[in-house]
Amino acid sequence: MKTTAIVLAAGSGSRMHSEVKKQYMEIGGKPLVYYSLYTMEHSFIDDIVLVVSPGDVEYVHKEIVDKFGFSKVRTIVEGGKQRYNSVQLGLQAVDSDCDYVFIHDGARPFVTQQILERSLDAVSKYKACVVGMPVKDTIKISDKEGYAANTPDRSTVWAVQTPQVFEYSFIKRLYDKLIAEESVLLAHGINITDDAMVVETYSDQKVKLVEGDYTNIKVTTPDDIVLAENILEHRW
């Protein structure tokens, strides 16, 4: 059984209001993307495809992969305009003999070995799974005018995280279809924001929810940096 991780580090980080892209911003003296790469480097994952912003391949190779000795990073590829474009480019770089692919946001530094192991167990049974956690807050669905339209049952609502894990041949086929029909989706205003949506849009396959961790946060805004540093202090 061969497993590959696609780590997405191609975001612009516009909400961080920093000249430094968020995936390269330091917490604990190391770039943000270092931490998820470190966890995967020391896990059962066989190899890693790292997806970076256009023009960043040489920098990332020298300042992150070589500097920190990430031997499982087999290739670094440039990402695309949207997240789903970057994922598809990452999938193209995965070896065809891969069984399961773990798609992970490099801006989530606190993925754990336990999360990876639970995901592997789930994907081997269910073909498609995503990490997440039940929400703690009551959620309101708004209408177009910004009024509360309805309140879903909190016990059924999850906040989705990454990694999102799939049989490789299955998810690659669906992503190829997505890219081929991208113009149709855009014309209908459909915004693909995660990998599970690709499965939901182009297949009847159910996606299993797998317990992640409330500390498996996505660093998006300056406030998240403060929270990440606090988590790091108590974990590493």
Side-chain angles (χ1 to χ4, degrees):
M1 182 172 59
K2 183 175 181 180
T3 57
T4 298
I6 296 174
V7 177
L8 303 170
S12 63
S14 58
R15 284 176 284 181
M16 194 60 72
H17 306 296
S18 170
E19 293 183 2
V20 180
K21 295 173 184 176
K22 67 179 180 181
Q23 56 268 33
Y24 310 141
M25 294 181 72
E26 289 193 354
I27 60 170
K30 293 182 175 64
L32 191 67
V33 70
Y34 162 89
Y35 295 97
S36 56
L37 291 174
Y38 179 93
T39 298
M40 291 176 178
E41 178 79 18
H42 295 86
S43 75
F44 58 80
I45 296 290
D46 293 302
D47 55 29
I48 300 167
V49 173
L50 184 54
V51 185
V52 302
S53 300
D56 284 0
V57 171
E58 185 177 347
Y59 169 83
V60 171
H61 204 292
K62 178 182 178 181
E63 297 298 328
I64 296 177
V65 176
D66 288 348
K67 182 177 180 178
F68 297 108
F70 291 128
S71 61
K72 289 187 179 181
V73 177
R74 183 177 56 80
T75 188
I76 305 172
V77 299
E78 293 186 349
K81 184 178 180 180
Q82 301 294 336
R83 182 188 186 277
Y84 60 81
N85 298 119
S86 293
V87 173
Q88 198 259 350
L89 290 167
L91 287 168
Q92 289 182 335
V94 174
D95 287 341
S96 60
D97 62 347
C98 176
D99 295 295
Y100 301 115
V101 62
F102 290 63
I103 304 172
H104 185 66
D105 293 330
R108 291 188 186 272
F110 302 122
V111 61
T112 65
Q113 299 284 352
Q114 291 78 16
I115 289 173
L116 295 177
E117 289 165 4
R118 287 196 293 269
S119 299
L120 180 62
D121 181 64
V123 75
S124 65
K125 296 176 181 176
Y126 304 109
K127 193 173 183 176
C129 67
V130 299
V131 169
M133 291 298 288
V135 300
K136 297 179 181 180
D137 300 319
T138 295
I139 302 298
K140 296 289 184 181
I141 306 300
S142 70
D143 61 19
K144 293 182 179 179
E145 285 72 43
Y147 293 97
N150 60 73
T151 306
D153 180 358
R154 187 172 65 183
S155 66
T156 67
V157 180
W158 283 51
V160 171
Q161 304 173 350
T162 65
Q164 303 195 2
V165 191
F166 310 91
E167 285 187 359
Y168 170 66
S169 59
F170 169 70
I171 195 65
K172 185 178 185 300
R173 183 175 71 252
L174 297 187
Y175 259 97
D176 288 344
K177 187 172 183 179
L178 163 64
I179 297 303
E181 300 182 7
E182 182 178 13
S183 60
V184 177
L185 289 177
L186 295 175
H188 286 83
I190 300 174
N191 184 25
I192 299 292
T193 57
D194 80 339
D195 312 297
M197 284 188 68
V198 181
V199 176
E200 294 157 9
T201 302
Y202 290 109
S203 79
D204 296 325
Q205 175 68 42
K206 289 185 177 181
V207 180
K208 184 68 173 178
L209 294 168
V210 178
E211 181 183 352
D213 194 299
Y214 287 115
T215 64
N216 186 26
I217 64 169
K218 185 176 183 181
V219 176
T220 304
T221 65
D223 288 344
D224 296 329
I225 289 287
V226 177
L227 178 57
E229 288 175 338
N230 184 266
I231 295 171
L232 185 65
E233 182 180 348
H234 289 86
R235 176 176 289 185
W236 287 66

